[in-house]
Amino acid sequence: MAHDIWTYGETAAHAAHLDLTGYRVEATDGFAGTVDTHEPTAGRAHVVVDTAPWIPGRRVIVPAGVVTAVDSGTERLHIGCSKQRIEEAPPFEPGPDHDRDDERPHRMGLVDYYLAFFR
């Protein structure tokens, strides 16, 4: 069965019911940024991570399936990849509102990039 990167795994499933905005993002090797926005919708769940001050002015999308744990007590979100992977991730470049069909090429690029974590 293929891994669904847009759905939280068992260890972080409760994240869909939390507002993760402002949570500290911890990669496998340290601080990677803070959650700028959280999209909890099933099948599209992800967070946008602001990498400042580590990498100023950069934001990346991290799909829910990359989240390994969420600690609401300390407001930390743990992800199953290194800071280097976040640094190399496609940048999040918000644009005007558009329908889902227009998002497809960007989403597919993210799928290709993040699915490598599960191979």
Side-chain angles (χ1 to χ4, degrees), residues 26-94:
E26 297 288 341
T28 56
D29 56 351
F31 174 72
T34 56
V35 176
D36 187 48
T37 58
H38 176 218
E39 171 56 62
T41 305
R44 297 178 53 83
H46 64 273
V47 293
V48 176
V49 177
D50 181 345
T51 60
W54 171 50
I55 305 173
R58 182 162 164 73
R59 296 189 303 160
V60 297
I61 291 177
V62 175
V66 178
V67 176
T68 57
V70 176
D71 183 338
S72 58
T74 62
E75 295 191 350
R76 291 178 189 247
L77 180 130
H78 297 269
I79 55 176
C81 65
S82 67
K83 289 170 52 175
Q84 180 178 352
R85 288 292 205 160
I86 294 300
E87 184 176 11
E88 295 170 352
F92 173 66
E93 298 172 357

Side-chain angles (χ1 to χ4, degrees), residues 97-114:
D97 291 337
H98 50 278
D99 63 37
R100 295 192 198 304
D101 290 339
D102 291 337
E103 289 180 1
R104 212 169 270 154
H106 183 66
R107 269 177 68 93
M108 290 311 296
L110 289 169
V111 168
D112 289 344
Y113 183 77
Y114 284 108

